[in-house]
Structures are given as C-alpha cells and as structure tokens.
Amino acid sequence: MNSQQFISLGWRPFLFGLCIAVQGVVLSTASPAFSNCNDRMPCMESLKDEMQNLGSIYVIAQNQQESTLFNNNNIYGVLNSPSNPTQFSLSKTTRLTYFMNYHWNSGRGQAPGTMWLTHQDGTTYGPWQATTEPGQGGVPNAYWIVRPNVILKAGNYTIGDSHPSSWAHNQQSGSRGMSVLKGIATSTPAGNGNTGAIDCSQYQGMERILCEHEVNGDNYRP
C-alpha cells in the first residue's frame, strides 16, 4: 500500500487520533501490533504497519474506479423474449455496484421483478428486487436496476431475469437480453455461501475491524 492509498482511507485517520488519545492502552487489546504503543510516533507507526499488512487481504475500493463489466445495450429497435442466454466473464474478483436489465416491452415497460447472476459452478448471486427508471420517451419501468454491492468471484456468469418475456433484445445484442453491469475490481475476502456477503470472522484484531467497516459501507459508496 503506497502513501497515497494510506492517506485516502476515509474514516481510518480517526483511529490515529484515538490511538494518540489513549496512548495505546485500549487499542492494545485489538491487535498485538499496539502492545508497545506508549507515545505518539510509535503508536502512529504501529497503526500504519498494521494497515500496510492489509494489502494482502483486500484493495481499498476508494482507490479504484468503477468500470463497465458488460454492456450489450444499444440504440436500435428491440423485440421481447431473447432467444440466447446473456452471459459475461470476469477475469478477477469484482465488487458488483450496478446491474441493469432493459424492459422496453413495446413501449409499455414492465413492473419490476428480480434479477440475479449464476456462476459457472452453480453459485447464485441474488435474486435482487429491482427498482426502475423510465426509458426513452418516458416509458415507465423500462430500466430495471439493482445496486447489489456484493463480491463476485472470477469466472463465467449467466444473467437471470424474472420476466424474460418483456426483456429487450435485438440482432445487435446477439439475441441476448440487454444488460449493463458495472463494478470495481478488488481482492476482498472470499464470499460467504451463495449470498456474496463477505465473511469477516476469519480475521483478528485490526484486520477484523477494517473488514467489518468495509462490509458496512464505511469506506465505499456506490
């Protein structure tokens, strides 16, 4: 972790002040790294060393940019009921921040349902209840949107939609349902079961604290 990453840790600098105020007495119980934290500079160096060690656990999402993971949406006329599965691949572990399926439905839109992802090994992420935004010309419920903020492992995925008969597609999309997914490449801890939730119980001390704050969104906003 470089100095810029260390400075850009959001709420984490608060821990420096806390550490200085109590002179390491309280924080020494959170991690062995603080057991000799008896004055200002050793305390700060101990916390810095502890946070640098986290580099092997995960990369702070703030220091990375959201990018498009998949997008077969286009401006051409569409039909309903795609005949081919909508699939995409991830080369690395990624935090899914945005997921959209397009339901033009001949200008009528479609009341929102659920969306999900299925990994090649059978693991399912979701289903998530969608919210909607109007489409071209003010068509209601055209864009089904979820913001899952879950960790996806690398591999091949198939996109699921609870109302495929109104899911838009065309020749340009390869007769696959139109979708857009965005996310942030990361190396966060492994997911828990089929929910994509991060399991912080495998860590101790400061590693546990920082993991739990990451999961609770203290360091990330989609």
Side-chain angles (χ1 to χ4, degrees):
M1 182 178 292
N2 60 38
S3 59
Q4 182 177 2
Q5 288 175 311
F6 182 66
I7 293 171
S8 303
L9 294 176
W11 60 270
R12 288 175 173 80
F14 168 76
L15 292 181
F16 282 99
L18 179 61
C19 181
I20 293 169
V22 302
Q23 295 185 344
V25 175
V26 175
L27 288 180
S28 63
T29 63
S31 171
F34 296 98
S35 59
N36 296 318
C37 183
N38 294 319
D39 55 53
R40 179 183 298 255
M41 290 310 298
C43 182
M44 294 177 70
E45 288 303 315
S46 294
L47 182 55
K48 182 175 181 180
D49 290 344
E50 183 78 2
M51 295 176 74
Q52 286 175 330
N53 290 336
L54 297 176
S56 62
I57 301 173
Y58 57 85
V59 176
I60 303 303
Q62 279 185 320
N63 299 314
Q64 301 183 37
Q65 296 295 317
E66 183 181 65
S67 62
T68 299
L69 308 176
F70 175 81
N71 183 359
N72 68 346
N73 202 28
N74 59 74
I75 63 173
Y76 300 100
V78 298
L79 303 170
N80 288 340
S81 302
S83 57
N84 292 326
T86 306
Q87 299 175 320
F88 68 98
S89 298
L90 295 177
S91 61
K92 60 182 67 177
T93 303
T94 301
R95 183 190 298 273
L96 178 64
T97 58
Y98 177 88
F99 177 12
M100 185 278 289
N101 284 354
Y102 186 45
H103 288 259
W104 170 254
N105 196 20
S106 301
R108 298 188 301 270
Q110 177 63 42
T114 58
M115 300 146 67
W116 63 92
L117 301 176
T118 303
H119 189 268
Q120 64 192 53
D121 66 6
T123 302
T124 298
Y125 296 82
W128 300 291
Q129 177 61 50
T131 59
T132 65
E133 293 181 3
Q136 183 178 5
V139 173
N141 302 320
Y143 294 108
W144 287 18
I145 297 172
V146 295
R147 294 179 170 84
N149 195 27
V150 299
I151 303 300
L152 303 178
K153 55 191 170 183
N156 301 319
Y157 286 87
T158 299
I159 298 175
D161 189 292
S162 64
H163 203 271
S165 63
S166 63
W167 194 2
H169 75 97
N170 58 19
Q171 182 178 359
Q172 287 74 19
S173 74
S175 298
R176 295 171 172 84
M178 290 182 173
S179 299
V180 177
L181 293 93
K182 299 179 181 180
I184 301 172
T186 181
S187 55
T188 52
N192 181 14
N194 66 356
T195 65
I198 299 172
D199 180 10
C200 296
S201 64
Q202 57 190 301
Y203 303 111
Q204 302 294 327
M206 283 296 296
E207 295 165 351
R208 174 77 172 267
I209 292 171
L210 296 183
C211 176
E212 289 175 345
H213 276 278
E214 186 77 8
V215 171
N216 291 333
D218 292 354
N219 205 41
Y220 176 74
R221 295 293 183 271

